Amino acid sequence: IIKDHVSILEPNDLRRLTEDARARHADSLYEAAGEELAKRAPVDVLAETGSRVLAELMDRHLPKRQRRVQELAVVTSNGKLLIYDTATGSSLRTVDAHNGDINYVAYSFDGSMVATASDDHTARLWNADTYACLHTLQHDRLVW
C-alpha cells in the first residue's frame, strides 16, 4: 500500500515526504519513498533534494562494489578535484570538475561515485572509476 501511494505523488510532494519520513524515523515509509526517488532520479527530484538525503539514497539503492585503492578526494579553490592514493600519498588523478570553488566533496558509501558541490551553482556526480561526470544538477545559487 505504501509503495502504491508514493508512486503517484508529484516530485515535490515525494521529496517532502521522504525528508519528513527520515526526520521522524518512519523507516518503512522512508524506504518506500527513497526507492521511488531513486527510480525517478535525477530528472524530476534530485535538483530539489538536500545533499544528506541524496547521499543516503545513493548509499541505500546503488549496487555495492569494492575499491581497489583507498582514495582521498581533495578539492581546490580553482575547481579541481584531486584524487590521491592514501597508502602511498601519490596523486592518482586531477579532474577539472567545476568553474568555481568546490565547497563539498563526498564518496558514496560503496565508493562507486563522488559528489561535488560548487560556487558555479552546480552539484555533480562522478563515476569513481573513470571520473566521468554522470550528472550535473543546476541551481540558481551557490551549492554547499
Side-chain angles (χ1 to χ4, degrees):
I1 295 174
I2 293 173
K3 287 183 179 186
D4 291 339
H5 176 71
V6 299
S7 69
I8 61 172
L9 291 174
E10 293 296 319
N12 287 331
D13 294 334
L14 178 60
R15 179 184 50 79
R16 280 191 294 276
L17 176 67
T18 304
E19 291 170 352
D20 289 345
R22 180 175 183 256
R24 296 169 194 248
H25 304 287
D27 293 337
S28 59
L29 180 58
Y30 178 70
E31 187 68 28
E35 286 176 14
E36 184 65 25
L37 277 173
K39 284 184 209 172
R40 298 181 186 186
V43 176
D44 63 352
V45 177
L46 293 183
E48 298 292 326
T49 301
S51 62
R52 290 179 193 211
V53 172
L54 173 60
E56 190 162 338
L57 289 174
M58 288 178 11
D59 291 346
R60 285 184 181 219
H61 300 290
L62 295 175
K64 306 292 185 234
R65 77 167 187 37
Q66 294 293 322
R67 303 279 312 152
R68 295 175 304 284
V69 175
Q70 291 297 316
E71 295 178 356
L72 172 67
V74 177
V75 296
T76 69
S77 61
N78 62 356
K80 296 201 183 307
L81 174 62
L82 310 173
I83 308 301
Y84 292 94
D85 181 330
T86 59
T88 65
S90 63
S91 175
L92 298 173
R93 185 178 300 255
T94 299
V95 180
D96 290 321
H98 289 273
N99 296 319
D101 292 358
I102 300 175
N103 302 314
Y104 181 81
V105 62
Y107 281 94
S108 62
F109 179 75
D110 67 353
S112 66
M113 289 189 286
V114 176
T116 56
S118 173
D119 284 356
D120 69 1
H121 301 200
T122 64
R124 293 189 174 147
L125 296 177
W126 305 88
N127 177 305
D129 285 328
T130 64
Y131 286 92
C133 184
L134 301 172
H135 300 289
T136 299
L137 305 169
Q138 190 69 42
H139 197 275
D140 60 349
R141 296 193 179 134
L142 305 179
V143 182
W144 293 91

